Amino acid sequence: MRRLVLLAALCSAFASPAMSQSVTNTAPWDRPFLPPAPEWAGASRALLRDATDPWVTAFEADPAHDFSPDYAGTRAWFDRLDAASDLIRIEQFGISPEGRPIYAVIASKDGAAFDPSKPVLLAQAGIHPGEIDGKDAGMMLLRDIAFNGKDGLLDRVNLILIPILSVDGHERASPYSRPNQRGPRIQGWRNTATNQNLNRDYMKLDQAEMQAVRGLIVKYRPDLYVDIHVTDGMDYQYDVTYGFNGEDGVWSRSPATAEWLTNTFKPAMNAALEGQGHIPGELVFGIDDQNPRAGLSDGGLGERFSNGWGSAAHVPTILIENHSLKPYEQRVLGTYVFLEQTMKTLAAQGRDLRAAIAADSALRPAEIPANFEPDPTPIATRAFKGILYETYDSPASGRREIRWLGRADPEPWSLPFYGSRPTLTLRRPEAYWVPATYPELIRRLRIHGVEMETLTAPRTVPVEMLRLEDPKVAPRTNEGHVAVTVTEVTPERRDWTYPVGSVRIPTDQPLGDVVVLLLEPQSSESFFAWGLMPEVLNRVEYIEGYAIAPLAEAMMAADPALKAAFEAKLAADPAFAADGDARLQWFYERTPFYDDRYRLYPVGREI
Ligand SMILES: [Zn+2]
């Protein structure tokens, strides 16, 4: 504990925008520059323990409640809790690229194995390490479960807390990580040590952290998964916003779960937060930085994000976005209330949630909407608790800029709400065949928890394969990949021989929708679209002009229909007619020398 105290003291030495108001001789970025926050004195402040408590957390011990301990300090505190309480144990479930253990803290009365009748809550903090409210809230809640009379929360629920998922990013800490966020005064960095944004990796599963957490999810099968973040973006009165796909009757891949979350979870949660002095709000994003009244959007439903993946995988998933301009203390306490109430609701209503998950997991839609984009037409009007603002001429930007005034607008706003709409509909085949030549894809599908049959002898099967007609390679990288989009495909029937180690993946399984989204090349969430199979676009064998020209002439002489088709093409397409190479290419493509696997997507569909 000496180490923890020393670190706290060291970190206090950093300049804090909140505490340096009277200091004038400091750099502009070390003076306050964020808009003010409304005064807050919620009842949840009674949850705080003071420094005389032997189990005070570093966050509580900090006089400004503006501090979050580092990786080592956090782990040392949890190790002490684990040693002192039979209800708490630590489980390492992964290791980061820089070699740090990634661990969960498990609170249970069940001993070594969970009672399968109890709902499991998985609360995840620090996928974006600067947005670390869930860690400090989780420390307080687990302490109160262990020692302060809240062990009854475990009578009917088990809790798994990941205090820090992106452990490497968490240790790239400084006062300058999150310029739009009010505390803690030392914050981790958004991306990992490999410069990856983990909340884009729920489908492709590139990163060690995300592969690890998926292993934990497959092992414990949480009934509810809560992914805790802090916003950027516009100011508003709400301090705890949260959301999930399918909220308020919007379309979802898990409609029964969305209904439970909307009608059972949300009213109880909002009442609990309001009762403790918080202002819960729906997860929304302003659509125009220059005009806060322009409207709100749902921020997209994509499966690369936790809430999108959860909806597709039938793992009920809530994305919390605490509001970045609210003080750290207010956000941490709001998160505590959220987690405690979630356990209470699961204890009381978890059976209904289980039934909803079962209903959603049994769905086998023949058509699967994909590639969601913002809908240009508003789908609803939302009452909104706005913050007063004005605009002013900024010499820096040369235009009018918003100045948030930190005071609640007494008049409720009424804002258009924009949803998302699919731009693609995928067909659900019976199964997919992934050849053994793609072991990394097969490995990632296994990490997802997808069921598959692995060939122990070669097998020839009739499949439908897709010829990719118009692949386009992105001009820039994204999350370490060069994306490829394809909008036009031509199906071809083939008898294909799959070697030993190839897999047949039926779509008749709860993760069937995830499989379709990962394996259809047109899906923006597919392995192909992420650029994991660029070799499909390569062509290697060519034919010389002196070889194809006489061959082409012989082909025309032997096949009048071919000759007529060529002449029609010449007449219809002057650019083609003027391009000798293109003309010869036209004939080459019609010879058996041409590579018939060029742009042939190698994953087969069984239909
Ligand atoms: Zn985030």
Side-chain angles (χ1 to χ4, degrees):
M1 291 316 93
R2 283 170 59 94
R3 179 171 168 72
L4 184 63
V5 171
L6 175 66
L7 282 165
L10 274 176
C11 292
S12 304
F14 281 88
S16 158
M19 297 175 70
S20 58
Q21 206 125 17
S22 61
V23 181
T24 53
N25 204 16
T26 50
W29 40 84
D30 291 330
R31 289 179 237 145
F33 58 86
L34 287 177
E39 288 294 318
W40 182 80
S44 57
R45 272 199 175 143
L47 295 165
L48 292 164
R49 299 267 155 173
D50 66 31
T52 62
D53 189 310
W55 289 101
V56 71
T57 69
F59 157 76
E60 292 168 309
D62 180 64
H65 299 141
D66 192 39
F67 175 73
S68 189
D70 69 2
Y71 176 88
T74 305
R75 181 60 193 257
W77 192 90
F78 276 124
D79 281 340
R80 201 158 64 90
L81 190 68
D82 179 10
S85 171
D86 288 344
L87 302 178
I88 306 291
R89 66 183 162 90
I90 293 175
E91 179 170 323
Q92 180 180 334
F93 62 92
I95 194 146
S96 72
E98 289 186 342
R100 292 182 182 86
I102 309 172
Y103 63 94
V105 187
I106 297 177
S108 175
K109 290 186 171 175
D110 294 352
F114 281 176
D115 173 348
S117 72
K118 289 187 189 174
V120 176
L121 169 61
L122 174 57
Q124 173 182 287
I127 190 172
H128 291 150
E131 309 166 17
I132 202 62
D133 310 11
K135 175 185 67 178
D136 292 294
M139 292 172 83
M140 290 172 62
L141 179 60
L142 287 169
R143 180 264 324 274
D144 293 342
I145 287 172
F147 303 125
N148 295 328
K150 292 195 176 177
D151 61 297
L153 290 169
L154 299 180
D155 287 346
R156 296 172 68 185
V157 176
N158 285 311
L159 169 63
I160 303 171
L161 171 76
I162 301 172
I164 313 165
L165 177 59
S166 182
V167 289
D168 295 344
H170 187 272
E171 295 307 280
R172 185 179 165 188
S174 97
Y176 308 110
S177 295
R178 301 265 304 159
N180 311 309
Q181 185 176 307
R182 183 165 274 117
R185 58 180 172 272
I186 307 297
Q187 303 157 341
W189 191 252
R190 181 178 185 79
N191 274 12
T192 66
T194 57
N195 201 23
Q196 295 281 327
N197 186 340
L198 297 183
N199 198 23
R200 304 292 181 273
D201 197 29
Y202 274 85
M203 289 294 273
K204 60 184 166 61
L205 290 181
D206 265 337
Q207 300 303 310
E209 296 91 336
M210 297 311 291
Q211 294 179 4
V213 78
R214 188 59 48 85
L216 192 74
I217 289 169
V218 169
K219 177 178 178 184
Y220 285 106
R221 306 226 166 253
D223 296 271
L224 190 57
Y225 178 37
V226 177
D227 178 26
I228 306 165
H229 294 247
V230 179
T231 62
D232 286 310
M234 71 189 293
D235 201 359
Y236 41 63
Q237 295 176 43
Y238 311 104
D239 56 355
V240 178
T241 74
Y242 64 96
F244 44 88
N245 283 27
E247 192 166 4
D248 296 330
V250 174
W251 181 86
S252 165
R253 302 191 196 281
S254 289
T257 297
E259 193 192 335
W260 183 90
L261 289 168
T262 299
N263 296 324
T264 300
F265 182 90
K266 202 166 137 179
M269 178 57 67
N270 288 355
L273 285 164
E274 284 165 1
Q276 292 291 310
H278 296 276
I279 308 177
E282 197 173 331
L283 177 64
V284 290
F285 302 84
I287 61 167
D288 183 349
D289 291 343
Q290 301 298 313
N291 178 12
R293 289 175 182 271
L296 306 166
S297 85
D298 65 7
L301 305 170
E303 288 75 19
R304 66 192 57 191
F305 306 104
S306 58
N307 50 317
W309 162 79
S311 183
H314 313 305
V315 176
T317 300
I318 294 174
L319 176 63
I320 296 181
E321 292 277 2
N322 291 329
H323 188 243
S324 62
L325 292 175
K326 304 299 182 288
Y328 192 54
E329 175 192 63
Q330 184 178 352
R331 290 170 11 223
V332 170
L333 294 176
T335 308
Y336 181 115
V337 173
F338 194 102
L339 294 176
E340 182 178 12
Q341 180 57 42
T342 300
M343 293 182 76
K344 290 176 180 171
T345 301
L346 282 176
Q349 310 284 348
R351 194 184 294 263
D352 293 344
L353 176 58
R354 283 251 168 113
I357 295 169
D360 290 335
S361 299
L363 295 174
R364 303 287 185 267
E367 293 191 330
I368 297 174
N371 297 12
F372 283 79
E373 288 182 359
D375 192 334
T377 311
I379 56 171
T381 301
R382 291 277 196 270
F384 192 70
K385 294 179 177 175
I387 291 273
L388 293 169
Y389 65 95
E390 61 190 15
T391 61
Y392 71 103
D393 285 320
S394 165
S397 72
R399 65 181 181 197
R400 305 288 291 176
E401 294 292 341
I402 300 244
R403 179 185 287 137
W404 295 102
L405 302 176
R407 300 194 304 277
D409 190 338
E411 292 294 316
W413 297 6
S414 180
L415 299 181
F417 179 79
Y418 296 81
S420 300
R421 58 172 186 177
T423 59
L424 176 69
T425 300
L426 298 166
R427 277 185 307 128
R428 184 191 207 88
E430 284 291 311
Y432 290 97
W433 285 85
V434 182
T437 46
Y438 284 88
E440 179 59 19
L441 265 52
I442 294 170
R443 190 180 76 85
R444 293 187 191 198
L445 287 159
R446 287 191 207 282
I447 295 170
H448 269 278
V450 167
E451 291 162 21
M452 58 186 80
E453 175 198 353
T454 306
L455 292 190
T456 53
R459 198 186 300 173
T460 301
V461 283
V463 290
E464 182 180 83
M465 300 184 76
L466 298 177
R467 185 78 65 179
L468 311 177
E469 301 296 351
D470 61 344
K472 289 188 180 60
V473 178
R476 63 184 71 84
T477 61
N478 182 22
E479 301 299 331
H481 294 288
V482 178
V484 184
T485 53
V486 59
T487 56
E488 227 183 290
V489 297
T490 304
E492 298 178 14
R493 294 298 185 97
R494 298 282 187 119
D495 287 328
W496 201 267
T497 301
Y498 290 93
V500 171
S502 302
V503 295
R504 178 183 183 273
I505 303 175
T507 61
D508 184 11
Q509 57 176 305
L511 290 177
D513 291 14
V514 169
V515 169
V516 172
L517 292 165
L518 283 171
L519 292 180
E520 288 292 330
Q522 292 172 275
S523 157
S524 58
E525 301 290 351
S526 67
F527 291 129
F528 178 83
W530 273 110
L532 296 178
M533 310 163 77
E535 65 284 348
V536 174
L537 309 182
N538 278 17
R539 211 183 100 198
V540 291
E541 196 61 79
Y542 293 85
I543 189 166
E544 298 293 351
Y546 59 73
I548 186 63
L551 179 55
E553 288 146 21
M555 287 163 71
M556 275 193 285
D559 185 348
L562 181 81
K563 182 167 186 289
F566 178 64
E567 284 164 355
K569 172 87 173 156
L570 292 179
D573 187 346
F576 174 78
D579 184 341
D581 288 342
R583 291 165 61 137
L584 293 178
Q585 174 73 15
W586 191 90
F587 286 99
Y588 177 43
E589 288 171 12
R590 284 157 179 77
T591 74
F593 294 108
Y594 188 71
D595 178 7
D596 78 339
R597 296 191 187 184
Y598 175 51
R599 291 184 179 172
L600 187 68
Y601 182 61
V603 175
R605 283 164 156 176
E606 190 180 302
I607 51 174

